[in-house]
Amino acid sequence: MIKDKGDDHFNTVGGKEIYLQLKWKEVQLETKRVTLETQLTQVQIELELYRKKAAELEHSLESERRDRRIERDDSQRRLRDDTSDLRRQHQQLVDSLERKLKLELMDEKLARTREVQEVKNGAVLEKQRLEMQMDGSGREMRNLKMELEATIAALDRERNLNNSLRDKISEQDLTSLGMESTTRVLMARIEVLENQRNNQAQDHSTLQHKLQEVLQKYVMVEEKLRNEEIVRRKLHNQVQELKGNIRVFCRVRPIVQDEAESAAEIRFPDQDLEGKEIEVVGSPDKSALGKEHTKTHTFIFDRVFSPKHQNVEVFEEISQLVQSALDGYNVCIFCYGQTGSGKTFTMSASDGMIPRAVHQIYDTSKGLQEKGWTYTMEGNFVEVYNENINDLLGKVDEIDKKKHEIRHDPKEFKTIITGVETALLDTPSKVDTLLRRASQTRSVAATKANERSSRSHSVFILRLIGVNHITGQKSEGTLNLVDLAGSERLSHSQSTGERLKETQSINRSLSCLGDVIAALGSGKEGAHIPYRNSKLTYLLQYSLGGNSKCLMFVMVSPMMAHLSESLTSLKFATKVNNTTIGTAKKQVKI
């Protein structure tokens, strides 16, 4: 059984102690990260409760203020209306009674004056008649006496009527006094309402004070959240550094129905534990004595995914690297392997790494908005075909005609490709459209290894520019998602003509990629890194070097016919896994 050189390193006593220390530190950091996330969740819940209470208090205050204002206005209006009506009615009644009494008195006075005058006239006439008839009979005297008494009785009745009218006037005066009393009661009620309004104003002041206290607590919680976010980013970066700035994952694609009989034997001995080992059983060989024996090749990587693992489970392992790009680091994730091993499916399928990475970035950036962060996302999609850069988002008729140059900014650690279209990715749907557009333009062809083989390296470049409007902090990160062309040898692909030229160019660029990684892993300060030997490595210069975090997917076909190519890919991935490229640097500006 063949073991990797890394096994001898970990089997030494010093290597085991370092490994255990790193593991223990990783567990401590993970525990601290979980504790901080729990505290952050509690603070967010408390902040939400404060927000709800403030909204409820504001709503209750506004509703109470509106109700009291309406009630006060209604009371004042009703009071004014009632007072005005009572005064008007009282005045009308008094005027009416005065007019009536005056008319009755005048009529009565005239009638009595006429009667008195008539009586006087009658008395004078009667006196004259009596004087003229001094010797009239006694009967006539009695008649005159009765008439006189009747007149006196009539005068008494008129006197009684006058007294009755005076009583009525007194009653009207009493009614007026009652109205005045009612007015005083209404004025007292107005005073009560005014007192209530003053009390409400005091309550309003108290509520305003409480609201200010809640707002102050809200500002303190927001500040605490921003500080927690800074701590989270530092701890997250420390965890990623402990895992290694360049990591290697292995994935074996599932077997389709017509491949079951020709599948190779591949085992995953620790799948239920750490999931880091893969064993590939080689083809039977005969020794010099004629005995058949089978070699079992064992490889260890940072993570191994069996055919039963789906894209969602694979993405869970790389999601932290995507978070690093959002925090301001250069991140590169690329798929390496022969044709037909599942590279394009892993990277560009509807649930592949590219769509899931962009969706995670959108979701995370929205959550960071309340902490003051605003992100702008720009994307390029290019292919390296026969050592030429093609813009997969450009016009189809300009492919292979328009020349593009790669330019680096060593101060800002930025890479620019001239003449390529840059898409503003402000919605996830634009990413889906961009992937469909690029897949239709990418160079593919049929070979003996696969009826549809990617003949170019595709590179999806996502730039993340973040600005914190509260602290003034800025971050610029780049996420490169690379789908490499098939790595099969000429003897296996049996390419001829134009396909032969493509295969030679692909293998040359992949060999340059291996040289760059080997040079990075040499650890020699100032050593030459041959980035310029290939357009692919030159394009990814700032995503492969010490200022980056890199992840390599080695894709393995389960077919026995592809066993030799699979072992070659796994051995190359082992070299990469033993490479250390230094500590990544965060692109942050103040």
Side-chain angles (χ1 to χ4, degrees):
M1 184 171 64
I2 298 175
K3 296 283 185 176
D4 183 65
K5 293 180 179 180
D7 295 340
D8 296 335
H9 175 68
F10 283 110
N11 285 334
T12 62
V13 176
K16 286 183 178 180
E17 292 178 354
I18 294 174
Y19 179 74
L20 290 174
Q21 291 175 0
L22 290 176
K23 273 293 184 178
W24 173 245
K25 188 173 182 181
E26 180 178 357
V27 170
Q28 289 178 330
L29 289 174
E30 182 65 19
T31 304
K32 191 173 182 180
R33 181 187 68 80
V34 171
T35 303
L36 288 174
E37 287 181 347
T38 304
Q39 295 176 353
L40 177 60
T41 303
Q42 292 175 351
V43 171
Q44 289 176 341
I45 293 173
E46 183 180 356
L47 174 59
E48 187 64 25
L49 290 175
Y50 279 128
R51 285 179 177 169
K52 290 181 178 179
K53 288 181 179 179
E56 290 175 358
L57 287 173
E58 184 66 26
H59 181 268
S60 176
L61 177 61
E62 185 63 26
S63 177
E64 186 68 21
R65 187 187 303 147
R66 184 174 59 254
D67 293 342
R68 293 296 179 269
R69 190 186 308 115
I70 293 172
E71 183 179 351
R72 184 193 63 193
D73 294 342
D74 290 344
S75 298
Q76 290 179 348
R77 185 173 59 256
R78 287 195 302 269
L79 177 60
R80 288 194 298 269
D81 293 343
D82 292 344
T83 303
S84 178
D85 290 338
L86 289 173
R87 287 178 177 174
R88 185 172 57 256
Q89 292 175 5
H90 176 262
Q91 189 63 38
Q92 289 176 354
L93 182 58
V94 171
D95 293 342
S96 175
L97 289 174
E98 286 180 353
R99 286 194 301 270
K100 184 177 179 181
L101 290 174
K102 286 179 180 180
L103 290 174
E104 291 180 353
L105 286 173
M106 288 177 65
D107 292 342
E108 187 67 24
K109 186 177 181 180
L110 290 174
R112 295 298 175 264
T113 302
R114 285 194 300 269
E115 289 179 359
V116 170
Q117 190 62 36
E118 290 177 356
V119 169
K120 287 180 179 181
N121 292 336
V124 172
L125 292 173
E126 186 65 25
K127 183 179 180 181
Q128 291 175 357
R129 188 178 64 78
L130 288 174
E131 289 178 352
M132 292 174 63
Q133 298 176 357
M134 288 298 293
D135 50 350
S137 63
R139 184 176 57 84
E140 290 178 356
M141 290 293 292
R142 286 193 298 270
N143 289 337
L144 290 174
K145 188 178 180 180
M146 290 175 62
E147 288 178 3
L148 181 60
E149 290 176 355
T151 301
I152 295 172
L155 288 174
D156 291 337
R157 285 195 302 270
E158 292 299 329
R159 191 178 296 111
N160 292 333
L161 180 59
N162 287 333
N163 292 332
S164 177
L165 290 174
R166 289 190 182 93
D167 292 339
K168 287 183 180 180
I169 292 173
S170 298
E171 289 178 359
Q172 293 298 326
D173 291 337
L174 292 174
T175 302
S176 177
L177 292 174
M179 289 181 179
E180 292 178 358
S181 176
T182 302
T183 303
R184 287 193 295 270
V185 171
L186 291 174
M187 292 300 294
R189 186 176 179 185
I190 290 174
E191 291 180 0
V192 172
L193 292 175
E194 287 292 333
N195 292 332
Q196 291 179 353
R197 183 182 65 80
N198 294 333
N199 293 334
Q200 290 171 3
Q202 293 178 357
D203 294 340
H204 172 71
S205 177
T206 303
L207 291 174
Q208 286 284 3
H209 180 68
K210 290 182 179 179
L211 179 60
Q212 290 298 325
E213 291 180 351
V214 171
L215 291 176
Q216 290 176 359
K217 290 182 180 179
Y218 173 75
V219 172
M220 294 174 60
V221 170
E222 279 195 333
E223 182 66 24
K224 187 176 180 180
L225 285 175
R226 285 193 293 272
N227 295 334
E228 294 292 345
E229 176 65 17
I230 294 173
V231 173
R232 183 202 64 76
R233 293 190 177 202
K234 291 181 180 178
L235 292 176
H236 170 76
N237 184 54
Q238 291 176 5
V239 172
Q240 294 303 311
E241 288 177 357
L242 287 174
K243 292 181 177 179
N245 284 335
I246 183 166
R247 303 164 64 191
V248 178
F249 288 174
C250 174
R251 187 181 190 186
V252 181
R253 74 164 175 83
I255 300 173
V256 297
Q257 294 180 353
D258 55 352
E259 296 176 342
E261 296 181 358
S262 56
E265 185 179 354
I266 301 176
R267 297 191 291 262
F268 308 92
D270 66 338
Q271 192 63 53
D272 296 332
L273 299 174
E274 292 184 313
K276 294 186 176 183
E277 294 187 27
I278 179 173
E279 293 180 352
V280 181
V281 179
S283 56
D285 290 333
K286 286 187 178 181
S287 64
L289 300 176
K291 293 183 178 180
E292 286 191 358
H293 65 280
T294 302
K295 292 183 179 180
T296 300
H297 305 271
T298 302
F299 301 93
I300 299 177
F301 301 107
D302 293 295
R303 188 72 167 86
V304 176
F305 298 97
S306 67
K308 67 180 182 180
H309 288 98
Q310 303 297 319
N311 277 347
V312 60
E313 299 170 277
V314 176
F315 182 75
E316 287 179 0
E317 291 292 330
I318 73 167
S319 60
Q320 297 302 317
L321 279 178
V322 176
Q323 178 65 42
S324 294
L326 201 61
D327 291 344
Y329 293 89
N330 288 338
V331 177
C332 182
I333 301 174
F334 61 92
C335 279
Y336 177 88
Q338 68 188 83
T339 296
S341 58
K343 299 187 301 299
T344 302
F345 175 80
T346 298
M347 297 300 290
S348 302
S350 60
D351 64 340
M353 303 304 105
I354 294 178
R356 287 186 178 275
V358 175
H359 280 277
Q360 175 184 331
I361 289 172
Y362 275 108
D363 295 339
T364 306
S365 62
K366 286 183 179 179
L368 292 174
Q369 287 179 356
E370 64 181 15
K371 299 173 185 176
W373 284 98
T374 302
Y375 284 90
T376 301
M377 286 162 271
E378 300 175 345
N380 302 118
F381 212 147
V382 299
E383 69 171 0
V384 181
Y385 176 72
N386 286 346
E387 288 301 299
N388 291 318
I389 302 293
N390 294 331
D391 185 8
L392 296 180
L393 302 181
K395 297 180 179 179
V396 178
D397 54 0
E398 293 182 355
I399 295 293
D400 294 334
K401 296 180 182 179
K402 192 173 182 179
K403 299 299 181 182
H404 304 282
E405 295 182 2
I406 302 172
R407 296 177 182 175
H408 293 304
D409 184 352
K411 293 182 179 180
E412 301 290 336
F413 294 99
K414 292 182 180 179
T415 300
I416 299 175
I417 307 174
T418 62
V420 297
E421 182 176 341
T422 299
L424 180 63
L425 305 177
D426 50 3
T427 60
S429 60
K430 286 190 176 181
V431 179
D432 300 332
T433 304
L434 182 145
L435 291 177
R436 288 194 298 268
R437 181 177 171 187
S439 64
Q440 295 172 356
T441 311
R442 188 179 179 189
S443 301
V444 295
T447 67
K448 292 294 183 180
N450 192 25
E451 61 183 18
R452 180 176 174 83
S453 174
S454 299
R455 311 310 298 159
S456 65
H457 310 298
S458 73
V459 183
F460 176 70
I461 305 171
L462 181 63
R463 281 182 293 277
L464 307 170
I465 304 171
V467 178
N468 192 312
H469 63 84
I470 298 176
T471 63
Q473 193 178 27
K474 297 181 180 179
S475 68
E476 296 183 13
T478 303
L479 176 62
N480 293 292
L481 300 172
V482 187
D483 179 10
L484 297 175
S487 62
E488 65 272 359
R489 292 170 293 182
L490 289 173
S491 59
H492 178 66
S493 64
Q494 299 182 19
S495 302
T496 58
E498 186 66 23
R499 301 287 84 78
L500 174 61
K501 180 181 177 181
E502 293 172 349
T503 303
Q504 290 173 338
S505 176
I506 292 169
N507 290 339
R508 190 183 306 113
S509 63
L510 293 176
S511 176
C512 291
L513 176 63
D515 294 340
V516 167
I517 293 176
L520 290 170
S522 65
K524 296 179 180 179
E525 185 176 356
H528 172 67
I529 310 297
Y531 290 116
R532 291 181 176 270
N533 289 357
S534 167
K535 286 288 181 67
L536 175 66
T537 54
Y538 192 52
L539 174 61
L540 301 177
Q541 177 174 338
Y542 291 141
S543 295
L544 293 174
N547 189 40
S548 69
K549 297 183 179 184
C550 189
L551 171 66
M552 171 183 172
F553 270 106
V554 56
M555 310 301 295
V556 177
S557 169
M559 301 296 296
M560 178 61 75
H562 301 160
L563 183 60
S564 177
E565 294 291 337
S566 297
L567 290 174
T568 301
S569 299
L570 290 169
K571 290 175 182 178
F572 174 75
T574 299
K575 292 181 181 179
V576 175
N577 198 34
N578 293 332
T579 301
T580 302
I581 63 175
T583 302
K585 297 180 181 179
K586 186 177 182 180
Q587 302 300 313
V588 175
K589 299 179 181 179
I590 302 298

